[in-house]
Amino acid sequence: MLQILLAAPLAAALSLPAQMHRATMRSGPAAAASFSPIQMVASAEVDADAEPCDVSSDVKDMSCGGSMSPKAPFKKIMAANRAEIAVRIMRAATELNMETVAIYGYEDRYSQHRWGADQSFMLKPAETAVKAYLDVEQVVSIAKENGVDAIHPGYGFLSESPEMVQACNDAGITFIGPTVEVMNKFADKTAARAEAIKAGVPVVPGTDSSVTDPKQLTDFVAEFGLPIIMKAAMGGGGKGMRVVREEKDLIPFFESATSEAEAAFGDGAVFVERFVNRPRHIEIQIIGDGKGDAVHLWERDCSVQRRYQKVVEIAPAWNLSPELRKQMQDDALRLVKGANYLNAGTVEFLVEPDGKYYFIEVNPRIQVEHTVTEQVTGIDIVQAQMRIAGGASFAEMGLLQENIHATGIAMQCRITTENAERNFTPDTGTLSVYRHSAGFGMRMDGIGYSGMTVQPYYDSLLVKYTASGSNWEEVVRRMKRALQEARIRGVKTNIPFLLNVLSHPVFEAGVVTTAFIDENPDLLKITGAKWNFASKDQADQNKVGDTERLMRYLANLAVNGHPTELGANKESLDKIRTIP
């Protein structure tokens, strides 16, 4: 008998079933995953007929109970989106041995998602760059003409459109997401609220339908008072959100919210709720089979927000009592089971300091922050979406609630091309350097490359970094290192701002509220920022990149000579001897 440590490929080569220990969930920022040593006993005598999970071992195979070699759910999948989520969809499809199709607007003709697909098709120009991706008829037509049998919408754009689902159904194409009936229940936030009330899930006081008339606003304020929050009825991501604290802002904010919602989602409808002050934003990741069963993949804390857009996401949520966690998980499952929810989605809650919580919405789609859940559960959510849409059952996929565990902790940071010191104004230009971070416990989802032109037409998200580790402190340290190691030049990014966030003592303690950034304006100060790195060149924002800038100056000097704009005497330049 030989006792050795085995990597997964070696275990497979020896036909040895494996089992992997999972950590027990514990609360608190310092809660570490309690891993057992991974050891395996190799023997010359192996029972070829043994069941994959029918062995006594210290290592547990995460695929136990599910199909280890799933057949391709479809032949050809279209990613009806752009940028990093389109790339994510196509990678998942390729791993399941399916062909991939991309669509792109003219402004996206040099985007990575275009040339990362097996086939790509340019959309016809529209009134705006974004609206080209909202053309349901054109998207479905391209898919049908090119043999696409399934469409994954990603997030944003058409991901919450019942019309898109119906158009796919009419064309004989599978929509990888909820059914039309489910979309009608949850894509419209007011309808979702009604479903939550029916399921006995606590909700924030709000309007029962979309608000289209200013009088509806004034009537609501007369009954519930200020502050209130307006939200886009047909989308998320912070678009169309406005908090009204003074009555004079009521109508102007209503007009700007409806205008922004119309531009982002093609529907300007909004609804209104009482504003909950300083809550945590906790969301439960769920997957439904469309037949009344559903599982949760634990939760995420998305409380670090700017303008109601998430900046940092964490899975699972720390310093959340087991009782409160269980209540929200149970409420989320009761809601989606009662609606016969199909495919992946997120049930979102606001949690007040006293532990009271309220349902706010269901996002019937994949989320930007799905990566952190994948890292702690080991479940590829995008592939799970594809397999469920292809008819796979929970049993075939091994999606049994008792087998879904959260191991360790993961954190995602969204890196955007924005200038924090100028109120996060989006920056544009050419990426002269794009060298992303890597290393143990780091994941990168993005579309950048040296020479890429960042344009003003789309969302400013460039790349997502996801750090994983066994405990909170380890993950924070790892993410700080990765952010500092990243080299993105040519445009401003929010990396210094993210380092400020991760270095703040309140954040380091492990619990923040949605008011964290607003209550700490110093987080927006980039010039002169200092961080806790041993190297002085890494700890001081003014010194970061000094060597790089010097080398670029010397290289330019060697090629183009001394710049006259810096005072060089033109008459004397020809007397300077250059190195042969």
Side-chain angles (χ1 to χ4, degrees), residues 45 157 206 302 481 539:
E45 298 180 4
F157 291 147
C302 305
R481 185 271 302 169

Side-chain angles (χ1 to χ4, degrees), residues 140-460:
V140 174
S141 176
I142 291 173
K144 190 171 183 179
E145 290 171 5
N146 293 279
V148 169
D149 49 354
I151 293 178
H152 194 305
Y155 53 74
F157 291 147
L158 297 171
S159 63
E160 299 184 43
S161 167
E163 292 76 20
M164 177 63 175
V165 185
Q166 188 60 57
C168 287
N169 294 345
D170 295 342
I173 297 172
T174 300
F175 180 84
I176 301 176
T179 62
V180 173
E181 293 75 22
V182 170
M183 281 290 192
N184 284 329
K185 289 178 180 178
F186 293 120
D188 183 328
K189 310 306 181 189
T190 55
R193 174 187 172 83
E195 287 292 317
I197 293 172
K198 186 169 70 174
V201 179
V203 300
V204 180
T207 55
D208 295 327
S209 59
S210 299
V211 174
T212 56
D213 186 337
K215 187 177 186 305
Q216 294 173 279
L217 279 178
T218 56
D219 290 346
F220 183 85
V221 170
E223 182 176 357
F224 294 101
L226 293 172
I228 62 168
I229 184 169
M230 304 177 198
K231 301 179 183 180
M234 298 302 296
K239 304 294 185 183
M241 278 195 182
R242 298 291 187 277
V243 173
V244 182
R245 301 180 185 276
E246 298 182 27
E247 195 162 348
K248 66 179 179 62
D249 295 326
L250 201 57
I251 304 305
F253 281 19
F254 171 70
E255 292 172 348
S256 63
T258 55
S259 175
E260 186 174 69
E262 171 68 30
F265 311 114
D267 189 325
V270 299
F271 70 104
V272 181
E273 290 180 338
R274 178 176 68 82
F275 181 64
V276 180
N277 195 37
R278 302 185 78 250
R280 294 176 69 182
H281 186 144
I282 306 294
E283 59 187 32
I284 313 294
Q285 176 69 60
I286 61 92
I287 299 179
D289 68 355
K291 302 173 184 177
D293 196 10
V295 294
H296 71 76
L297 276 58
W298 298 81
E299 76 286 335
R300 299 184 286 259
D301 189 324
C302 305
S303 300
V304 182
Q305 301 179 8
R306 179 192 62 80
R307 297 176 184 167
Y308 310 106
Q309 291 185 313
K310 300 160 187 173
V311 176
V312 178
E313 296 96 350
I314 304 153
W318 293 105
N319 287 325
L320 201 64
S321 72
E323 296 79 16
L324 181 56
R325 171 180 282 118
K326 182 70 163 52
Q327 287 174 6
M328 287 193 290
Q329 291 170 349
D330 289 347
D331 277 354
L333 289 179
R334 186 169 66 255
L335 174 60
V336 297
K337 285 180 179 180
N340 289 327
Y341 193 97
L342 176 67
N343 219 276
T346 307
V347 183
E348 308 204 3
F349 298 94
L350 295 180
V351 182
E352 293 190 296
D354 62 1
K356 292 180 182 177
Y357 64 93
Y358 306 97
F359 165 85
I360 51 174
E361 63 183 4
V362 171
N363 279 311
R365 54 174 169 83
I366 194 73
Q367 293 273 77
V368 179
E369 60 272 17
H370 72 276
T371 61
V372 289
T373 297
E374 291 181 331
Q375 294 305 111
V376 299
T377 63
I379 295 171
D380 187 318
I381 299 174
V382 178
Q383 288 191 5
Q385 288 186 285
M386 295 173 180
R387 294 185 65 191
I388 287 173
S393 67
F394 280 179
E396 291 171 328
M397 298 170 60
L399 284 179
L400 305 176
Q401 191 65 69
E402 59 268 25
N403 293 338
I404 301 173
H405 306 275
T407 301
I409 189 167
M411 175 195 302
Q412 176 183 279
C413 283
R414 305 185 187 193
I415 296 176
T416 61
T417 54
E418 297 176 323
N419 187 340
E421 289 190 308
R422 293 191 176 183
N423 197 28
F424 291 93
T425 301
D427 197 11
T428 59
T430 300
L431 298 181
S432 56
V433 175
Y434 183 81
R435 187 174 74 247
H436 65 77
S437 302
F440 181 80
M442 284 303 305
R443 168 177 172 173
M444 187 278 293
D445 293 77
I447 54 162
Y449 58 88
S450 295
M452 171 182 160
T453 299
V454 177
Q455 303 189 62
Y457 309 112
Y458 305 107
D459 185 88
S460 60

